[in-house]
Amino acid sequence: MSGLPHYTNSQASIQLYEPVYLNLLEVIINTPAGVQQLPGLNGELILSQQVKSISGMAVDIQPSAPVEQFYKFATRRYAGGEPSTTDMDLTMEFEVNLNESNSMTVYKTLRQWSDLIYNPLTGAMGLKRDYVGSMVISIFNKQGDVFRRIRIPVCFISTPITALELDYDQGASIYSISIQWKCDYWEDLFL
C-alpha cells in the first residue's frame, strides 16, 4: 500500500539519494587589487582556508507582499509587483591563525580591505571601484562534485572587524572574525 511508513515506499531510499550536507563547501574570495592575500597550501588563498561558516545566503527571492483586489464578495490575490530585495547581505566567520612569521594573515588581509573603504589611521575614504572584490561559493557532494555554485561578482566588507576581547577566564578560545558583506547581485548556477 502506498503511503505506509516503509523503506520501499521512499524514493530517496530506493534510489539511494544522497543528502545535501551543509559543511561541504568551498569559498573563493578575490580581494580588491590593493589587498595582498597570501597563498596557502595548493595555491588556495588564506581567506578561503579560514572560513568557518557562512550565513544569510538568501538567493531565493520572491516579490514583496501580495496585493489584493476585490470583486463583490470575492478576493483575488496576486504576487507583489516588485522584488522584496535585489541585493544580499552575507555574514562569514573566519578563524584566525598565526603563520610562521607570527602574523595574523586573515586579520591583516581583512584589515587591508577595510582600510580601502575607510582608513581610521589616516581618515582616507575609498571609491567603490577600489574596494569591491568578488567571491564564488561552491557546494558539493562527498565526492567533490559541485552541484550548486553562487558567483558574487561585486561584494565589499560592511562591518568593522571583530575586536579582540582578551580575557584570562576565556580559557583556550580562538579569535574569530565575523564580517558582513554587501553583495550587489549574484548568479545562482545549478550544475
Side-chain angles (χ1 to χ4, degrees):
M1 297 179 81
S2 113
L4 294 177
H6 191 271
Y7 184 87
T8 58
N9 287 329
S10 168
Q11 185 173 348
S13 300
I14 298 302
Q15 299 295 325
L16 306 176
Y17 291 170
E18 193 71 21
V20 173
Y21 293 96
L22 299 177
N23 63 340
L24 298 177
L25 65 118
E26 176 185 61
V27 182
I28 298 172
I29 301 171
N30 299 306
T31 60
V35 176
Q36 180 184 11
Q37 194 179 165
L38 299 173
L41 296 173
N42 303 322
E44 289 183 37
L45 301 175
I46 291 295
L47 280 184
S48 298
Q49 292 180 2
Q50 299 302 116
V51 172
K52 183 178 176 184
S53 65
I54 302 172
S55 60
M57 206 164 54
V59 295
D60 300 309
I61 293 175
Q62 288 291 315
S64 57
V67 294
E68 294 181 345
Q69 287 183 338
F70 301 98
Y71 174 72
K72 296 186 179 182
F73 302 111
T75 302
R76 299 183 297 250
R77 296 182 182 177
Y78 302 90
E82 62 186 46
S84 56
T85 185
T86 60
D87 58 358
M88 177 173 50
D89 295 336
L90 283 182
T91 302
M92 285 188 190
E93 188 171 344
F94 298 87
E95 286 189 332
V96 181
N97 292 13
L98 296 170
N99 68 8
E100 64 278 355
S101 303
N102 207 32
S103 176
M104 297 188 304
T105 54
V106 169
Y107 172 84
K108 286 174 70 173
T109 302
L110 292 170
R111 175 63 189 266
Q112 286 177 19
W113 196 335
S114 291
D115 286 350
L116 292 175
I117 299 167
Y118 172 71
N119 187 330
L121 301 177
T122 65
M125 297 182 77
L127 301 174
K128 187 170 182 176
R129 68 174 166 255
D130 297 325
Y131 62 72
V132 295
S134 64
M135 66 178 75
V136 176
I137 302 167
S138 298
I139 307 164
F140 48 86
N141 66 17
K142 290 192 285 188
Q143 291 184 328
D145 303 320
V146 174
F147 59 86
R148 189 172 187 183
R149 181 168 285 141
I150 296 146
R151 192 175 84 78
I152 303 167
V154 177
C155 64
F156 63 92
I157 295 172
S158 66
T159 55
I161 295 173
T162 308
L164 279 167
E165 300 290 339
L166 304 175
D167 185 351
Y168 284 118
D169 292 334
Q170 284 187 348
S173 60
I174 296 173
Y175 176 43
S176 63
I177 296 173
S178 181
I179 292 288
Q180 189 173 58
W181 306 88
K182 296 291 183 188
C183 308
D184 284 352
Y185 73 102
W186 61 90
E187 296 169 0
D188 192 1
L189 308 169
F190 292 90
L191 308 174

